[in-house]
Amino acid sequence: MRAMLIANPKATSTSRRARDILVRAFTGDLDLVLAETGHRGHATELARQAAVEGYDAVIALGGDGTVNEAVNGLLADGPSAELPALAVLPCGSANVFARALGLPDDPIGATTAVLEALRAGRQRSVGLGTASLPDGTERYFTFCAGVGLDAEVIREVERRRAAGIRADPSLYVRTAVRHFFSGTDRRRPALTLEQPGRPPKSGLFLAFVSNTSPWTFMGRVPVNPSPKAHFGRGLDVFGMRSLELGPTVGVLAQMLTTRTRPLQGRHVVNVHDAAEVTLRADHPVAFQLDGDYLGEQRSVTFRSVPKAIRIVI
């Protein structure tokens, strides 16, 4: 089996020595090519090359951003049964997609699991989401998208990371608290949620679009606004009509509680198993996919893509 291992040398929780050990672990089972990323978007280019050249598998060693780029490279020309399968070795700060798949939250444990799956020929097709922009740009996401506050927080975290600050759960928490009180607009809701054939839902301050649950992790604690979201269904949406302190704290407490029902409350909006939703804003608002900040947008249409990609699992 011919495989390309795409490694992000700047991933949070790995080192060159660890990468070398992982590469050696695969060499007895695979005809392996190691390709290290050198810039943003490079994993997309490498994965697309692997698809064009007919590789059997692509192994993404990195965080959720590396995985997202690899997925978009593999699916650059759309889903196909002929595309390489994707394997994930998590070594980022959150690793939401890998953990949602049931993989161990460390590259060594995940390598053992992936090797066992490769030897047994175990693969699983999972659904993804796409985000389409007014300029015609379309991008796949594996576990979540966000418009509003969470994307603003990711933007601020990326600025701090660019300044040399290490990303960990505490950085996200500190940034979110600071931005909630002094950064985001908590008085004027900008968003409207639209679904084909249904009345629009306006007055939203933020919205999360989930392809699986949980939406993210706070360390080892799952943060779960849409517990019914699943790779085998459509998209789930959670939105808030208030960012007052009381309702926000109440909703956050529910997100951190183990449960099977969506969040409840008069300030909450939920959508389950949607094939398509559009979020429109009355001014450009922050937008993120899989924890990757993608600028400000006035409109984004999200669609579910069933069985979009094969995962080694």
Side-chain angles (χ1 to χ4, degrees):
M1 176 180 286
R2 195 162 64 118
M4 178 183 289
L5 191 152
I6 299 174
N8 178 4
K10 296 182 179 179
T12 303
S13 60
T14 190
S15 65
R16 181 167 296 277
R17 180 174 179 274
R19 287 195 297 276
D20 291 343
I21 292 172
L22 296 178
V23 168
R24 286 198 296 271
F26 282 106
T27 52
D29 294 83
L30 301 174
D31 177 9
L32 189 69
V33 172
L34 172 63
E36 290 193 343
T37 59
H39 54 81
R40 188 166 184 164
H42 197 188
T44 298
E45 299 167 11
L46 292 168
R48 186 168 192 177
Q49 175 188 338
V52 170
E53 294 181 2
Y55 278 73
D56 300 298
V58 165
I59 304 169
L61 173 62
D64 288 310
T66 303
V67 174
N68 179 280
E69 288 191 10
V71 165
N72 277 277
L74 289 172
L75 297 174
D77 296 319
S80 168
E82 305 303 316
L83 290 174
L86 175 69
V88 178
L89 303 181
C91 58
S93 58
N95 306 315
V96 180
F97 183 61
R99 292 159 83 172
L101 290 169
L103 284 167
D105 185 29
D106 70 273
I108 301 300
T111 296
T112 301
V114 168
L115 275 171
E116 291 176 354
L118 285 168
R119 290 164 181 164
R122 291 197 306 267
Q123 297 181 3
R124 169 187 174 189
S125 293
V126 302
L128 301 175
T130 63
S132 301
L133 304 181
D135 65 2
T137 301
E138 185 173 74
R139 182 160 168 172
Y140 288 86
F141 61 99
T142 63
F143 63 92
C144 83
V147 179
L149 176 60
D150 76 311
E152 294 169 4
V153 170
I154 288 170
R155 177 180 61 200
E156 296 305 310
V157 167
E158 288 191 1
R159 288 176 179 171
R160 286 165 170 77
R161 292 184 69 176
I165 298 176
R166 180 181 172 85
D168 59 25
S170 68
L171 176 61
Y172 284 90
V173 172
R174 296 195 308 272
T175 304
V177 171
R178 184 186 305 114
H179 195 73
F180 177 81
F181 285 107
S182 62
T184 197
D185 186 347
R186 296 165 53 202
R187 294 183 297 172
R188 296 179 295 272
L191 298 175
T192 297
L193 172 64
E194 300 175 357
Q195 279 185 272
R198 299 190 180 185
K201 299 177 181 180
S202 59
L204 301 180
F205 284 90
L206 60 82
F208 308 149
V209 182
S210 295
N211 185 50
T212 188
S213 64
W215 165 63
T216 191
F217 287 87
M218 190 181 297
R220 294 190 176 276
V221 179
V223 182
N224 206 354
S226 301
K228 290 187 176 182
H230 189 273
F231 291 126
R233 304 190 187 107
L235 302 175
D236 281 25
V237 184
F238 164 82
M240 285 196 66
R241 287 195 168 111
S242 172
L243 286 183
E244 294 296 322
L245 183 59
T248 302
V249 171
V251 163
L252 181 59
Q254 289 188 66
M255 286 186 188
L256 298 174
T257 302
T258 302
R259 68 193 194 290
T260 57
R261 297 181 61 193
L263 293 177
Q264 305 296 311
R266 64 189 181 93
H267 300 295
V268 169
V269 170
N270 290 297
V271 173
H272 175 58
D273 195 18
E276 177 182 320
V277 296
T278 297
L279 287 165
R280 300 192 190 278
D282 56 22
H283 61 82
V285 295
F287 164 55
Q288 65 89 7
L289 286 184
D290 285 349
D292 187 13
Y293 178 66
L294 295 178
E296 295 186 337
Q297 300 293 334
R298 294 189 66 125
S299 174
V300 187
T301 296
F302 302 93
R303 296 181 179 90
S304 173
V305 185
K307 298 183 178 180
I309 194 166
R310 291 179 297 122
I311 305 292
V312 177
I313 190 68

